[in-house]
Structure formats: C-alpha cells, structure tokens
Amino acid sequence: MIYFKNVSKIYEPQSVGVRDIHLQIEHGEFVSIVGQSGSGKTTLVKLMIAEERPSKGSVKVSGWDIASIPKKSVSVLRRQIGVIFQDFKLLHNKTLFENVAFALEVCGIGNERINEIVPQVLQIVGLEGKRDRYPHQVSGGEQQRAVIARSLVHRPKILVADEPTGNLDAINTHEIIEILKKINEFGTTVVLVTHNKEVVNSLRRRVVTLEHGTVVSDQEGGKYVL
Ligand SMILES: Nc1ncnc2c1ncn2[C@@H]1O[C@H](COP(=O)(O)OP(=O)(O)OP(=O)(O)O)[C@@H](O)[C@H]1O
Ligand SMILES: [Mg+2]
C-alpha cells in the first residue's frame, strides 16, 4: 500500500532529505518511524502525501505513483490519507465540532452527512461531550484529539502522524497513542513518526529507524535503541 523503491529526495540545491530508501508498508500495519533530528522522517512523510516528489526512485501510495501524480489527483489521495502534524492548528473561532465539520465543508459535503460523520469521529477520540467548546476551552491533549478527529472525516485508509505527541505530557501522549491503536484496529494503516522511546517500546510493533536519510534498521516488535 506504501512502497518506496530506491528513493532519494535531494532538496535544492544540495540538501539530502532521504537517500536510497527501500520500504514497503502493507495494509493494516502500524509502523513507527524513528531517528534523530534531520534523519529524514518528515521528508518520508511528505513523499507519502505527495507534498514532495522523489528526486530519484519510485514512491507508490494506494496505487498512485507520487513522481507523476497529477495535481488533481493529489486532493483525491489526500482524502485517503489522514495527516496529523504536530503544528497543525485548529481554527480558534470555531468550536471543535465546527473545526471537524470544516474539513468536510471545504469538500462540498452537505449538512446531513456532516451531522452524521462529525459525531462519529468525535466519539472515536472521546470528545463528543466537548463538541461545542472552542479550542482555548479545552486542553492541549484534547486539541490534538480534535485534530485526529478532523483527520478521520474521510475515513482514510492510511493515517500518517508526524510527532503527534510532541507537545504533550506522558498521560496525554498515552491517550493519543491509544486512539491511534484503536484507529489501527479498525483497519487503518498507521504511520507514526516519533522521538518518544517509551511510546515506541510500549507499542511493540514495527519500527523503522532512519539515520542520515537512510533506513538503518527495520524490525517487527522492535525497540527504539538510538
Ligand atoms: N525544504 C528543505 N530544503 C532543504 N533541505 C531540507 C528541507 N527540508 C528538509 N531538509 C533537510 O533534509 C534533511 C531531513 O529533514 P527532515 O525534516 O526530513 O528530518 P526529520 O527527521 O523530520 O527531523 P526532525 O526530527 O527535526 O523533525 C535535513 O538535513 C534537513 O535539513
Ligand atoms: Mg520532522
């Protein structure tokens, strides 16, 4: 479902993002991507969501060839991939419900469907009781849960989360990881980028370690040892 073959991304003029990546992620997997700052994790994520294109090699996601995907298809691809970045912000002047609904409105989806889908995804992240609060009226962990809810509105086949717990304490981090596990159990492939050793070690799932833009280890039930 996600397939990297001999992939390099060199940013102009000469900055290596990733180099010679071979990676295959199957439907339903939960994969953590770890590595030090600058090792290429976000570059890998950006290639998966067609925010960057490979300089060399082939990236395929859900059947699309990222090197040649037409602009039109990028939005179709993005609906199949939920994306969460640490710095993704909610809109301050909208409630949690409205924030999640907005992701559907911009795609021209009508109120009837919105009123069906938004409560469902808010329930998955445990926020149905706080749907009418504004972002500043909930905690950082709850804001991040709302961001996750928003990423689920199109029922993505793949969820890519780049440091989703970066700003959170241990308890909130644990809750977010439990939500990602639940989403994975529903059948969504989860790709989690994290610096958090405890998280990776407690997951006991596949761990891909990057160093200087290349994969140095790829282990099932792996430990984060860097
Ligand atoms: N737009 C860009 N232009 C030039 N170089 C870039 C660009 N984006 C990333 N790089 C370089 O590519 C390398 C990999 O960066 P990347 O952001 O993928 O690392 P990362 O593993 O996500 O790091 P972090 O843990 O700090 O988020 C780094 O050396 C970085 O400086
Ligand atoms: Mg990064």
Side-chain angles (χ1 to χ4, degrees):
M1 121 165 298
I2 300 173
Y3 183 62
F4 284 72
K5 190 175 168 202
N6 199 21
V7 173
S8 296
K9 171 69 191 176
I10 315 294
Y11 294 102
E12 295 297 329
Q14 267 223 324
S15 164
V16 176
V18 292
R19 195 171 16 205
D20 297 330
I21 299 280
H22 289 273
L23 185 65
Q24 192 163 341
I25 298 175
E26 303 296 346
H27 181 71
E29 278 197 84
F30 191 132
V31 183
S32 300
I33 298 183
V34 304
Q36 285 171 355
S37 184
S39 59
K41 304 179 297 296
T42 297
T43 301
L44 216 55
V45 164
K46 287 183 172 170
L47 289 165
M48 286 177 195
I49 64 173
E51 196 173 311
E52 295 287 352
R53 304 204 177 205
S55 314
K56 205 182 95 203
S58 159
V59 180
K60 295 208 169 118
V61 179
S62 272
W64 272 287
D65 185 339
I66 301 297
S68 60
I69 186 170
K71 273 222 164 89
K72 273 199 318 231
S73 304
V74 170
S75 53
V76 181
L77 171 74
R78 296 263 173 87
R79 273 179 229 174
Q80 296 194 5
I81 308 183
V83 183
I84 306 163
F85 282 114
Q86 182 182 336
D87 55 359
F88 262 23
K89 291 278 182 287
L90 297 166
L91 300 165
H92 293 288
N93 55 348
K94 288 185 186 292
T95 64
L96 300 187
F97 185 98
E98 290 164 350
N99 263 284
V100 176
F102 189 62
L104 292 161
E105 280 163 23
V106 295
C107 296
I109 291 165
N111 275 336
E112 204 174 316
R113 284 289 285 151
I114 287 178
N115 286 324
E116 224 173 83
I117 295 170
V118 177
Q120 281 172 5
V121 295
L122 285 174
Q123 194 183 4
I124 291 173
V125 302
L127 280 179
E128 62 278 34
K130 297 194 172 162
R131 51 175 274 173
D132 295 324
R133 296 216 196 163
Y134 289 88
H136 70 271
Q137 296 173 319
V138 299
S139 72
E142 286 165 342
Q143 288 180 25
Q144 189 60 312
R145 275 148 61 183
V147 169
I148 295 177
R150 187 177 58 184
S151 77
L152 296 176
V153 291
H154 298 298
R155 297 161 194 226
K157 293 186 190 145
I158 304 171
L159 184 66
V160 181
D162 192 347
E163 291 281 0
T165 61
N167 293 325
L168 302 178
D169 63 18
I171 292 173
N172 279 309
T173 294
H174 177 74
E175 282 180 2
I176 295 289
I177 298 304
E178 288 304 311
I179 290 167
L180 295 181
K181 278 160 82 173
K182 187 158 86 177
I183 292 165
N184 178 243
E185 278 159 22
F186 290 158
T188 299
T189 305
V190 176
V191 178
L192 169 68
V193 171
T194 182
H195 275 110
N196 192 316
K197 287 186 182 132
E198 286 76 33
V199 162
V200 171
N201 293 343
S202 71
L203 276 167
R204 298 172 185 276
R205 302 295 289 268
R206 182 174 170 196
V207 183
V208 173
T209 308
L210 294 180
E211 223 175 271
H212 305 304
T214 62
V215 175
V216 293
S217 148
D218 183 349
Q219 290 186 318
E220 243 353 285
K223 281 223 161 212
Y224 183 9
V225 288
L226 271 185

